[in-house]
Amino acid sequence: MLRKDFLWGGAIAAHQAEGAWDTDGKGVSCSDVETIGGNGIPRRLTDGIVPGEVYPNHEGIHFYEHYKEDIALFAEMGFKGFRTSIAWTRIFPNGDDDKPNEAGLQFYDRLFDECHKYGIEPIVTLSHFEMPYHLAKKYNGFTDRRCIDFFVRFARVCFERYQTKVKYWMTFNEINNQADVNQHNLIQEGAVILREGDDPEYIMYLSAHHELVASALAVKAAHEINPDLMVGCMIGMNGVYPATCDPQDVMNALGAMHQKYYFAEVHARGHYPKHILKKFERKGYPDFILPEDKEILEQGKVDYIAFSYYMSYASSHKRGNKDFDYTGEDFVRNTYLKASDWGWQIDPLGLRWCLSWFHDRFELPMMIVENGFGAYDKIGEDGVIDDQYRIDYLKEHIQALKDAVEYEGVDLLGYMMWSPIDIVSASTGEYDKRYGFIHVNRTNEGEGDFSRSKKKSFHWYKHVIETNGEEL
Ligand code: BG6
């Protein structure tokens, strides 16, 4: 049985939904300079905003104007919680400004008040792929320690302003995605632009370290401001299985888990695990972990683990070396699983495995803050989208989380499906990769008036919440 106050709800992010990219004093964010991509076509980072390019985050789904209508629809489904992010650039347009932008702060006052009107608890991410672009240009993002202070200033302003409206916070969304070192992940997570001659892997570890320190300082600040605030990390969790029971594959999967999830160890345990320090030593990296950083990490351990879950991976060993270092190139198709149209392998039991993995290590409360199915939806002749495939995906994943509570005894606070309303895809910039219970009339081609309508899954999720997950 799930707890009585289980937080059922859904999650979005500011940059994928709000639009209004330059309204009321908002500055340019890193996602504002990423173009639209496609299924199998990566987004491009441009040098500033280039006329003629298509930037889907400039429009989002017009949530900035439609939020009242959307929250009312979430309330109709019975949401107890709603996760979104605060666009850093609405509060500090450049990131290094002295004073916050009052108009930006007021928008989130209105949004959180609207949630409370229906008894919905806002759950907030501070940095969800939307760092100020100015920080990228002037400081190269989190490669520069000064960004630690900028982030903490932003976090403090938010904690002070919203402490009576928001209890659950997260610092950096999917901080560990950057373990797959590429330009898209580095700009989304740390506002980092790779330059010629850089060692991308070193740059990633350096920047991630500064984010981990910034996160720990934010946790500390939140507790000083109001001891009731709960601050979590946010991990993009997709468990890695060995492709076979060949011990080489098993070690290779362990190597991938080490590299992809050491971030969670630092957040929750307050120090780096030995395997990653050994790796830094092996690679001859200069020591960027200052003695005072160690103290900060120790003092800023998170209160709970939030994570997203979409799929699992299978890892196959190819090289015969002893370090079993993750390269991102060892993943193979898991023949036991089906995949979405974007190749994301569907694995409900993997969610139970991941919940256990966290629980066994950290014994902290957890919240699933993203889980959902991106699909091409078709509008039926009756004008309604029959998205049974989405219902099937969610049903099996909710069953798996219930089993993790029942059999492994995990402490689960809530489930925020991704995303209750169609929004812009983070990886591809598409509109046509849809996750919602609510359809938004907008396409990759920029057609449609942004009007909202309910899909079949809307009514299904309403019933799930009504029965606290007893009837799926
Ligand atoms: C997570 C992100 O990676 O997955 C979200 O936190 C993102 O921002 C979600 O939207 C789904 O990914 P995508 O690329 O299908 O939008």
Side-chain angles (χ1 to χ4, degrees), residues 12-13 15-16 83 128-129 173-174 177 184 188 234 236 308 310 342 344 370 374 418-419 423-430 433 435:
I12 63 167
H15 72 288
Q16 292 168 263
R83 172 182 176 233
H128 192 137
F129 306 164
N173 183 68
E174 294 187 339
N177 283 1
H184 174 68
Q188 280 200 334
M234 198 304 204
S308 60
Y310 291 91
W342 282 260
W344 292 21
E370 288 186 30
W418 184 272
S419 55
I423 53 178
V424 173
S425 156
S427 58
T428 68
E430 291 168 283
K433 188 180 188 189
Y435 285 86

Coordinates of all heavy atoms in Angstrom, one line a residue, residues 12-13 15-16 83 128-129 173-174 177 184 188 234 236 308 310 342 344 370 374 418-419 423-430 433 435, ligand 1:
I12 N 6.9 19.1 -15.2 CA 7.4 19.8 -16.5 C 8.6 20.6 -16.1 O 9.1 20.6 -14.9 CB 6.3 20.8 -17.0 CG1 6.0 21.9 -16.0 CG2 5.0 20.0 -17.4 CD1 5.2 23.0 -16.6
A13 N 9.2 21.3 -17.0 CA 10.3 22.3 -16.7 C 10.0 23.6 -17.4 O 9.4 23.6 -18.5 CB 11.6 21.7 -17.3
H15 N 11.7 25.8 -19.1 CA 12.2 26.1 -20.5 C 11.4 25.3 -21.6 O 11.3 25.7 -22.7 CB 13.7 25.9 -20.7 CG 14.1 24.4 -20.7 ND1 14.0 23.6 -19.6 CD2 14.5 23.6 -21.7 CE1 14.4 22.4 -19.9 NE2 14.7 22.4 -21.1
Q16 N 10.8 24.2 -21.2 CA 10.1 23.4 -22.2 C 8.6 23.8 -22.3 O 7.9 23.3 -23.2 CB 10.2 21.9 -21.8 CG 11.6 21.4 -21.9 CD 11.8 20.0 -21.3 OE1 12.3 19.9 -20.2 NE2 11.4 18.9 -22.0
R83 N 5.4 19.3 -10.3 CA 6.8 19.7 -10.3 C 7.1 20.6 -11.5 O 6.7 20.3 -12.6 CB 7.7 18.4 -10.4 CG 9.1 18.8 -10.7 CD 10.0 17.5 -10.8 NE 11.4 17.9 -11.1 CZ 12.1 17.5 -12.1 NH1 11.6 16.6 -13.0 NH2 13.3 17.9 -12.4
H128 N 17.1 23.5 -14.2 CA 16.6 22.4 -15.1 C 17.0 22.8 -16.6 O 16.2 23.2 -17.4 CB 15.1 22.2 -15.0 CG 14.7 20.9 -15.7 ND1 13.8 20.0 -15.1 CD2 15.0 20.3 -16.9 CE1 13.5 19.0 -15.9 NE2 14.3 19.2 -17.0
F129 N 18.3 22.6 -16.9 CA 18.8 22.9 -18.3 C 18.5 24.3 -18.8 O 18.3 24.6 -20.0 CB 18.1 22.0 -19.3 CG 18.2 20.5 -19.0 CD1 17.3 19.6 -19.6 CD2 19.1 20.0 -18.1 CE1 17.4 18.2 -19.4 CE2 19.2 18.6 -17.8 CZ 18.3 17.7 -18.5
N173 N 18.8 19.4 -12.1 CA 18.1 18.3 -12.8 C 19.1 17.4 -13.6 O 19.9 17.9 -14.3 CB 17.1 18.9 -13.9 CG 16.3 17.8 -14.6 OD1 15.5 17.2 -13.9 ND2 16.6 17.6 -15.8
E174 N 18.9 16.1 -13.3 CA 19.7 15.1 -14.0 C 21.2 15.5 -14.1 O 21.8 15.5 -15.2 CB 19.1 14.8 -15.4 CG 17.8 14.1 -15.3 CD 17.2 13.6 -16.6 OE1 17.7 14.2 -17.6 OE2 16.3 12.8 -16.6
N177 N 23.6 13.5 -16.2 CA 23.6 13.2 -17.7 C 24.9 13.6 -18.3 O 25.3 13.0 -19.4 CB 22.5 14.1 -18.4 CG 21.1 13.6 -18.1 OD1 21.0 12.6 -17.5 ND2 20.2 14.3 -18.7
H184 N 25.8 19.0 -26.0 CA 24.4 19.2 -25.6 C 24.3 19.0 -24.1 O 23.7 19.9 -23.4 CB 23.6 18.2 -26.4 CG 22.1 18.2 -25.9 ND1 21.3 19.2 -26.2 CD2 21.4 17.2 -25.3 CE1 20.1 18.9 -25.7 NE2 20.1 17.7 -25.1
Q188 N 23.5 22.1 -21.4 CA 22.3 22.0 -20.6 C 22.5 22.0 -19.1 O 21.8 22.6 -18.4 CB 21.5 20.8 -21.0 CG 20.7 20.9 -22.3 CD 19.6 19.9 -22.4 OE1 19.7 18.8 -21.9 NE2 18.6 20.2 -23.2
M234 N 18.8 15.4 -8.0 CA 17.9 14.9 -9.0 C 18.8 14.2 -10.0 O 19.6 14.7 -10.7 CB 17.1 16.0 -9.7 CG 15.9 15.6 -10.5 SD 16.2 14.3 -11.8 CE 14.9 14.6 -12.9
G236 N 19.3 11.4 -13.2 CA 18.7 10.8 -14.3 C 19.1 9.3 -14.2 O 20.2 8.9 -14.5
S308 N 14.6 10.6 -12.2 CA 13.8 10.3 -13.3 C 14.1 8.9 -13.8 O 15.2 8.4 -13.6 CB 14.1 11.3 -14.5 OG 15.5 11.1 -14.9
Y310 N 13.2 6.4 -17.2 CA 12.6 6.1 -18.5 C 12.9 4.7 -19.1 O 12.0 4.2 -19.8 CB 13.0 7.2 -19.6 CG 12.5 8.5 -19.3 CD1 13.2 9.4 -18.5 CD2 11.2 8.9 -19.7 CE1 12.7 10.7 -18.2 CE2 10.7 10.2 -19.4 CZ 11.5 11.1 -18.6 OH 11.0 12.3 -18.3
W342 N 11.7 6.3 -30.3 CA 13.0 7.0 -30.2 C 14.1 6.1 -29.7 O 15.1 6.5 -29.3 CB 12.8 8.2 -29.3 CG 12.2 9.4 -30.0 CD1 12.8 10.5 -30.5 CD2 10.8 9.6 -30.3 NE1 11.9 11.3 -31.1 CE2 10.6 10.8 -31.0 CE3 9.6 8.8 -30.0 CZ2 9.4 11.3 -31.4 CZ3 8.4 9.3 -30.4 CH2 8.3 10.5 -31.1
W344 N 14.0 4.2 -26.9 CA 14.2 4.1 -25.5 C 13.5 2.8 -25.0 O 12.3 2.6 -25.3 CB 13.5 5.3 -24.8 CG 14.1 6.6 -25.0 CD1 15.0 6.9 -26.1 CD2 14.0 7.8 -24.3 NE1 15.4 8.3 -26.0 CE2 14.8 8.8 -24.9 CE3 13.3 8.2 -23.1 CZ2 14.9 10.1 -24.4 CZ3 13.4 9.5 -22.6 CH2 14.2 10.5 -23.3
E370 N 10.1 12.0 -12.6 CA 9.9 11.9 -14.0 C 9.8 10.4 -14.4 O 10.6 9.6 -14.0 CB 11.0 12.4 -14.9 CG 11.2 13.9 -14.8 CD 12.2 14.5 -15.8 OE1 12.5 13.8 -16.8 OE2 12.8 15.5 -15.5
G374 N 7.2 8.9 -24.4 CA 7.2 9.8 -25.5 C 6.7 9.1 -26.8 O 7.3 8.0 -27.1
W418 N 6.0 12.3 -16.2 CA 6.5 13.3 -17.2 C 5.8 13.0 -18.5 O 5.8 11.9 -19.0 CB 8.0 13.1 -17.5 CG 8.5 14.1 -18.4 CD1 8.6 14.1 -19.7 CD2 9.1 15.4 -18.0 NE1 9.2 15.3 -20.2 CE2 9.5 16.1 -19.1 CE3 9.3 16.0 -16.7 CZ2 10.0 17.3 -19.1 CZ3 9.9 17.3 -16.7 CH2 10.3 17.9 -17.9
S419 N 5.3 14.0 -19.1 CA 4.9 15.3 -18.6 C 3.4 15.3 -18.8 O 2.9 14.9 -19.8 CB 5.5 16.4 -19.4 OG 5.2 16.3 -20.7
I423 N 4.8 18.9 -24.1 CA 5.7 20.1 -24.1 C 6.8 19.8 -25.1 O 6.9 18.8 -25.8 CB 6.3 20.3 -22.7 CG1 6.9 19.1 -22.1 CG2 5.2 20.9 -21.7 CD1 7.6 19.3 -20.7
V424 N 7.8 20.8 -25.2 CA 8.9 20.6 -26.1 C 9.9 19.6 -25.5 O 10.2 19.6 -24.4 CB 9.6 22.0 -26.2 CG1 10.9 21.9 -27.0 CG2 8.7 23.1 -26.8
S425 N 10.3 18.7 -26.4 CA 11.2 17.6 -25.9 C 12.6 18.3 -25.6 O 13.1 19.1 -26.4 CB 11.4 16.6 -27.0 OG 12.6 15.9 -26.9
A426 N 13.2 17.8 -24.5 CA 14.5 18.4 -24.1 C 15.6 17.9 -25.0 O 16.5 18.6 -25.4 CB 14.8 18.0 -22.7
S427 N 15.6 16.6 -25.4 CA 16.7 16.1 -26.2 C 16.6 16.5 -27.7 O 17.6 16.7 -28.3 CB 16.8 14.6 -26.1 OG 15.6 13.9 -26.5
T428 N 15.4 16.5 -28.2 CA 15.3 16.8 -29.7 C 14.6 18.1 -30.0 O 14.7 18.5 -31.2 CB 14.4 15.6 -30.3 OG1 13.1 15.8 -29.9 CG2 14.9 14.3 -30.0
G429 N 14.0 18.8 -29.1 CA 13.4 20.0 -29.4 C 12.0 19.9 -30.1 O 11.4 20.8 -30.5
E430 N 11.6 18.6 -30.3 CA 10.3 18.4 -31.0 C 9.1 18.7 -30.2 O 9.1 18.5 -29.0 CB 10.3 16.9 -31.4 CG 11.3 16.5 -32.4 CD 11.3 15.0 -32.5 OE1 11.9 14.3 -31.7 OE2 10.7 14.4 -33.5
K433 N 7.1 14.7 -30.2 CA 7.4 13.6 -29.2 C 6.6 14.0 -28.0 O 6.9 14.8 -27.1 CB 8.9 13.6 -28.8 CG 9.3 12.4 -27.9 CD 10.8 12.4 -27.6 CE 11.1 11.1 -26.9 NZ 12.5 11.1 -26.4
Y435 N 4.2 13.4 -24.5 CA 4.1 12.6 -23.3 C 2.8 12.8 -22.6 O 2.5 12.1 -21.6 CB 5.2 13.1 -22.3 CG 6.6 12.6 -22.6 CD1 7.4 13.3 -23.5 CD2 7.1 11.5 -22.0 CE1 8.7 12.9 -23.8 CE2 8.4 11.0 -22.3 CZ 9.2 11.8 -23.2 OH 10.5 11.4 -23.5
Ligands
BG6_1 C1 14.7 14.2 -18.9 C2 14.6 15.6 -18.7 O1 15.9 13.9 -19.4 O2 13.8 13.6 -19.8 C3 13.4 16.3 -19.2 O3 14.7 16.0 -17.3 C4 13.1 15.7 -20.6 O4 13.7 17.7 -19.4 C5 12.7 14.2 -20.3 O5 12.1 16.3 -21.3 C6 12.2 13.4 -21.5 O6 13.2 13.6 -22.5 P1 12.8 14.1 -24.0 O7 14.1 14.3 -24.6 O8 12.0 13.1 -24.6 O9 12.1 15.4 -23.8

